[in-house]
Amino acid sequence: GLLTRTDPLLAESDRADLLAIGRRRRWPAGATLFSEGDRSTTVVLVLTGRVKVFSLTEQGGEVLLAIRGPGALLGEMSALDGAPRSASVSALEPLEAYVIGVAAFLDFLGSHPDAAVRIIRMIVSRLRDADRKRVEFGTYDALGRVALRLAELADRFGADADHGVRITLPLSQDELAAWTGSSRESVTKALRTLRRQGIIETSRRSVSVLDLDRLRDRAK
Ligand code: CMP
């Protein structure tokens, strides 16, 4: 649920074994780690910084699929099925990570069954989210969807402040629109409504949640 923070992906010793077969690498903010459609040669385990996972539409628009942060494993999908990269991944912030070759990663899974099960669990949880989103798109209005996404972001990435939870994500309203399956106009309207009701405060590229409980109410 919204209140549960996710456990670390890997147990400490498994994580150490995985890092041992990788090499450390940094990317500046804005750098592209993976491009959708490319052949896969590596997986990446994030140490610090956040990335966005997105897909480009035929019209050149960006559909935001996820934001992932420290502890996230990226590139596991094409490592596992051998198909091209399912999406593009770029750094939202300066990024520090470990890069592991696909063959070494698959060997690691073979020799670390607990880690393999945890990775399956992570993928299953994404499938659940994807199922839930399909249902939401059928049943929620734009305000509800924006409120739901913001509540999720506040829960996962927000730092507790004196009043409410501050989310500072370098995300534009266009990206939020793409992520909630709403038009830019309805996202702007939804943010204005939430602002007028004193539930959030906004600045150009950040949103502060003042009243997480009421935000969650709007998300129903
Ligand atoms: P891969 O397909 O190799 O390259 C793109 C990566 O983005 C993919 O592996 C996953 O690690 C990640 N990814 C793709 N779709 C999602 C999603 N819906 N949520 C989170 N991460 C994703």
Side-chain angles (χ1 to χ4, degrees):
L2 281 175
L3 279 173
T4 51
R5 286 188 187 271
T6 45
D7 293 331
L9 179 62
L10 301 177
E12 199 49 56
S13 67
D14 284 351
R15 180 185 152 90
D17 287 352
L18 184 59
L19 296 188
I21 56 171
R23 67 194 156 79
R24 204 179 171 108
R25 192 175 160 182
R26 291 166 189 276
W27 284 272
T32 301
L33 281 73
F34 303 152
S35 296
E36 181 174 354
D38 279 2
R39 208 172 58 85
S40 151
T41 54
T42 56
V43 298
V44 168
L45 187 73
V46 178
L47 297 182
T48 57
R50 287 173 292 188
V51 300
K52 67 174 175 180
V53 178
F54 63 99
S55 187
L56 293 178
T57 65
E58 304 243 311
Q59 295 76 30
E62 212 175 79
V63 178
L64 185 65
L65 295 170
I67 293 176
R68 303 180 67 189
L73 182 69
L74 302 162
E76 78 292 352
M77 291 173 63
S78 51
L80 286 165
D81 72 2
R85 296 283 186 209
S86 62
S88 298
V89 176
S90 70
L92 288 170
E93 298 158 338
L95 205 72
E96 227 187 316
Y98 271 83
V99 180
I100 302 117
V102 165
F105 175 68
L106 295 175
D107 283 347
F108 167 83
L109 293 182
S111 56
H112 296 74
D114 178 66
V117 169
R118 289 191 190 210
I119 288 166
I120 291 169
R121 206 174 279 144
M122 178 264 291
I123 296 168
V124 167
S125 138
R126 284 219 304 267
L127 181 58
R128 270 183 199 275
D129 282 353
D131 287 350
R132 195 170 43 77
K133 263 176 210 150
R134 287 187 58 165
V135 174
E136 264 167 39
F137 284 1
T139 54
Y140 285 59
D141 60 9
L143 178 60
R145 292 202 295 262
V146 168
L148 185 62
R149 282 291 160 267
L150 289 177
E152 281 178 359
L153 289 172
D155 187 52
R156 288 184 56 200
F157 295 116
D160 291 325
D162 282 348
H163 307 285
V165 176
R166 180 168 293 270
I167 323 170
T168 38
L169 282 174
L171 271 189
S172 68
Q173 291 191 14
D174 283 327
E175 288 166 324
L176 190 58
W179 207 21
T180 54
S182 317
S183 68
R184 157 95 203 221
E185 289 69 31
S186 42
V187 166
T188 305
K189 236 171 81 181
L191 290 174
R192 192 190 308 132
T193 303
L194 293 170
R195 209 161 45 225
R196 284 198 184 131
Q197 294 176 349
I199 295 174
I200 63 168
E201 264 173 12
T202 58
S203 60
R204 210 172 64 82
R205 280 177 84 81
S206 84
V207 177
S208 299
V209 177
L210 304 176
D211 191 335
L212 190 52
D213 291 334
R214 280 172 65 214
L215 184 65
R216 291 217 176 93
D217 281 344
R218 296 312 310 246
K220 282 172 191 155

